[in-house]
Amino acid sequence: MKRLIWLSTMSLAIAATSLPVVAQTQDSPQTPGTQSPELQTPGERQTPGLQTPDTPAPGTQTPGVQPETQIQQTTPSADASMGAPKIKGTSALRDANYISLYTGSQPLSYVTIMPPDYIGIGDNITVTDQSGQNIQANVTREGEKVRINFAQPVAPGSTLEIALTDLAFGYPYPSKSTFGYELAGGYTGFNREIPYGLAQFQVY
């Protein structure tokens, strides 16, 4: 009888010591190498059924999307390479003076010539361009100042030859000295004349 009681006591002791092992096995049904969702980092969690969109590599384009193009707008302006208007040169005969004039980068409407006190300019004035073509113009006067009005504005970048072939010299006539005409130009779109300076002549 004592032997049976002792065996029963031993069986109960063995069963009591094996219970925690069974409990651990039931609470942790994971296989080695896996993590529970609670132990994953926030960046590793994904909602079932959702996929992270692929990010294209640098330098690649998404199909159907055109690259952005830049449109450059140009504003019309005068060509600065033409330079400023100027008197290019002069030449003289006994009764005629010739002035070479560069018009610059704007259309030229008229030219004014102011002679010195002892020189009178007649109406016989001709104007030609760099190709020798006559330019139609009429002559008006503002006191002693002569104004050459062009029928059509002269194109930018032109070189004009102005021939003053009807001159009258009064006293004191220059001898072995220089004299000059004051020149200015009126341009399309400008409210005031542009001075060219003096067209100088040497007298011998």
Side-chain angles (χ1 to χ4, degrees):
M1 186 69 179
K2 290 182 181 181
R3 183 179 183 88
L4 291 174
I5 293 172
W6 182 79
L7 289 175
S8 299
T9 303
M10 288 295 293
S11 299
L12 290 174
I14 293 172
T17 55
S18 62
L19 284 176
V21 177
V22 174
Q24 282 185 352
T25 305
Q26 290 176 351
D27 291 340
S28 303
Q30 299 176 7
T31 57
T34 61
Q35 283 185 329
S36 64
E38 291 78 5
L39 298 179
Q40 293 180 358
T41 57
E44 295 175 349
R45 296 184 182 179
Q46 293 184 356
T47 304
L50 296 181
Q51 293 182 353
T52 304
D54 294 334
T55 302
T60 61
Q61 296 180 2
T62 304
V65 178
Q66 296 296 328
E68 182 180 357
T69 57
Q70 294 182 353
I71 301 175
Q72 295 183 351
Q73 296 181 350
T74 57
T75 303
S77 60
D79 188 357
S81 65
M82 290 185 179
K86 62 181 179 180
I87 298 169
K88 295 184 68 175
T90 61
S91 60
L93 298 176
R94 181 173 179 81
D95 58 353
N97 294 153
Y98 301 91
I99 303 171
S100 179
L101 176 67
Y102 176 68
T103 63
S105 61
Q106 300 292 334
L108 178 64
S109 299
Y110 66 86
V111 172
T112 61
I113 302 175
M114 183 66 181
D117 294 338
Y118 47 84
I119 298 178
I121 300 176
D123 293 336
N124 191 13
I125 299 174
T126 58
V127 182
T128 56
D129 61 14
Q130 60 268 19
S131 64
Q133 181 76 28
N134 285 331
I135 296 178
Q136 201 171 10
N138 62 8
V139 177
T140 59
R141 296 182 182 275
E142 304 170 358
E144 296 299 321
K145 183 185 291 186
V146 175
R147 176 167 164 162
I148 305 171
N149 303 289
F150 302 112
Q152 296 292 332
V154 178
S158 299
T159 298
L160 303 181
E161 188 78 16
I162 302 173
L164 310 174
T165 57
D166 186 11
L167 300 177
F169 294 91
Y171 183 81
Y173 183 79
S175 177
K176 293 186 179 181
S177 62
T178 60
F179 67 93
Y181 302 103
E182 295 179 14
L183 265 69
Y187 288 85
T188 303
F190 284 75
N191 296 326
R192 62 184 183 87
E193 295 179 349
I194 304 299
Y196 299 141
L198 282 175
Q200 292 187 334
F201 294 84
Q202 185 74 44
V203 178
Y204 295 96

